Amino acid sequence: MRKILLAAGALLASISISCGGGQAATTPTPAAAPACVNASAPHKAYVVVTHLDGKTVQKCVGFTGDQIGAEDLMNKSGIEYQSQTFSFGKAVCQVDNDPAQFTQCFTQGQPYWLLFTETAGGPWTMAQTGYTAVNVPDGGGLGWRMSPPNASPAPTPAAVKK
């Protein structure tokens, strides 16, 4: 019984702390840079996913060559994604389980995923090919941004946290 009461007290204390305990809410602390998959590798590349609601997911992947292919980077990152093949190459239709379901990548009037690349320290640049034709250099990033239909200018992914 005592263990149950102690656990309940700890739970209530954590709820009170995380909810502000009746005090004004504070600004959340920015998330720290993610730990890298294959962290001992000499080079690192990043995947940044920014959802329509602004939620961002970032993963880091270590690799050994001068660059890493975007498909390999996505696979090693562990971020869930689905793609379809088009004349320009593969296009990503779903990233991080968003949208929850789809039958085709680019449904007219619906949000869709935009692909961006970033060289170390540079700005995001919209990719001009399918993601399988993209190579990411050491310190670079692969960015996915869910875009509202007809957005102008196209929204870019969140900044890479290194």
Side-chain angles (χ1 to χ4, degrees):
M1 180 71 168
R2 180 180 168 159
K3 287 182 182 179
I4 293 172
L5 290 174
L6 288 173
L11 177 61
L12 287 174
S14 70
I15 290 171
S16 176
I17 290 168
S18 66
C19 293
Q23 298 176 2
T26 58
T27 304
T29 304
C36 281
V37 173
N38 194 18
S40 63
H43 305 292
K44 309 285 186 284
Y46 302 85
V47 178
V48 177
V49 177
T50 304
H51 294 267
L52 201 55
D53 65 2
K55 175 186 161 205
T56 299
V57 174
Q58 179 176 315
K59 298 290 182 167
C60 172
V61 174
F63 62 99
T64 56
D66 291 342
Q67 56 191 4
I68 185 170
E71 187 168 34
D72 195 22
L73 179 58
M74 286 300 295
N75 290 337
K76 290 179 178 178
S77 76
I79 296 173
E80 182 279 334
Y81 74 102
Q82 300 282 329
S83 64
Q84 287 182 344
T85 302
F86 293 89
S87 61
F88 59 83
K90 285 185 177 179
V92 168
C93 310
Q94 180 186 59
V95 181
D96 194 34
N97 297 301
D98 185 11
Q101 296 179 352
F102 70 95
T103 54
Q104 59 186 28
C105 266
F106 304 110
T107 304
Q108 187 172 353
Q110 295 297 311
Y112 58 95
W113 287 104
L114 293 172
L115 172 61
F116 292 83
T117 59
E118 184 238 15
T119 56
W124 286 115
T125 304
M126 192 177 301
Q128 301 300 310
T129 64
Y131 78 103
T132 56
V134 171
N135 290 307
V136 182
D138 182 29
L142 185 70
W144 296 103
R145 174 66 193 232
M146 179 63 90
S147 177
N150 305 318
S152 183
T156 58
V160 175
K161 295 178 185 169
K162 298 180 183 177

